[in-house]
């Protein structure tokens, strides 16, 4: 029995996931993408798994900088998610970042003001698998936001979840 690419993509659309803007900055430059493939790996040391499409021009940028920040979005940040997903005409990174307020923690990767939570990380390992780079990122700092609701991507659309 073989599962087709489309069958798999349609099934994955039913697996709700947090909407994140993953950012980086360093010697290779500023970058950011919208990513839903993020999860916890272990709490000792605190580590996240982040999957980035190998076809993205930014894939190399993240690996070369060696740092990233996972910024989980709150309701009301859908437009910003679309900008970083490349759904707007603005391909320029400076323009994308100009639509929100950003700070810094430990690594120098941009931290989104208003995110529900931000994980500032150093890349510990990268495994290439199929169309994606699977990045293991060790968390150096966490900033929890004030938002009481989160934003998920489910059935190819945004949905608000949580208390409030």
């Amino acid at each position: 029995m073989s599962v087709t690419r489309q069958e798999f993509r349609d099934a994955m659309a039913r697996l709700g996931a947090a909407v994140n803007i993953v950012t980086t900055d360093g010697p290779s430059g500023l970058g950011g993408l919208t990513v839903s493939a993020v999860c916890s790996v272990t709490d000792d040391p605190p580590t996240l798994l982040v999957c980035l499409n190998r076809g993205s021009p930014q894939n190399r940028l993240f690996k070369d900088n060696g740092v990233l920040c996972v910024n989980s979005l709150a309701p009301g940040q859908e437009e910003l998610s679309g900008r970083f997903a490349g759904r707007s005409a603005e391909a320029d990174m400076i323009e994308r970042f100009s639509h929100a307020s950003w700070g810094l923690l430990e690594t120098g990767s941009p931290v989104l003001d208003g995110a529900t939570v931000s994980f500032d990380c150093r890349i510990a390992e990268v495994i290439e698998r199929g169309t994606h780079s699977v990045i293991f990122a060790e968390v150096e700092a966490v900033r929890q936001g004030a938002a009481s609701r989160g934003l998920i991507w489910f059935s190819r659309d945004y949905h608000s979840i949580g208390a409030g």
Side-chain angles (χ1 to χ4, degrees), residues 62-63 65-68 121-126 135-138:
F62 278 85
K63 292 187 242 181
N65 281 341
V67 295
L68 60 82
C121 307
R122 291 207 183 275
I123 296 174
E125 182 179 0
V126 179
I135 297 173
F136 292 88
E138 292 185 1

Side-chain angles (χ1 to χ4, degrees), residues 24-31 52 56-68 107 109 121-123 126 128 133 135:
T24 189
D25 200 3
S28 293
L30 177 67
L52 299 180
S56 166
Q58 294 187 66
N59 183 291
R60 173 60 38 210
L61 177 71
F62 278 85
K63 292 187 242 181
D64 288 348
N65 281 341
V67 295
L68 60 82
T107 72
S109 296
C121 307
R122 291 207 183 275
I123 296 174
V126 179
E128 305 297 342
S133 296
I135 297 173

Side-chain angles (χ1 to χ4, degrees), residues 117-134:
V117 65
S118 297
F119 299 90
D120 194 29
C121 307
R122 291 207 183 275
I123 296 174
E125 182 179 0
V126 179
I127 297 172
E128 305 297 342
R129 176 69 180 186
T131 58
H132 282 69
S133 296
V134 181

Side-chain angles (χ1 to χ4, degrees), residues 16-79:
V19 180
N20 308 283
I21 293 177
V22 181
T23 60
T24 189
D25 200 3
S28 293
L30 177 67
L33 316 153
T34 299
V35 175
S36 61
V38 173
C39 69
S40 169
V41 175
T42 181
D43 63 0
D44 189 17
T47 305
L48 297 179
L49 179 148
V50 179
C51 295
L52 299 180
N53 191 310
R54 290 171 66 184
S56 166
Q58 294 187 66
N59 183 291
R60 173 60 38 210
L61 177 71
F62 278 85
K63 292 187 242 181
D64 288 348
N65 281 341
V67 295
L68 60 82
C69 186
V70 174
N71 299 281
S72 292
L73 302 187
Q77 295 176 319
E78 295 87 350
E79 184 179 325

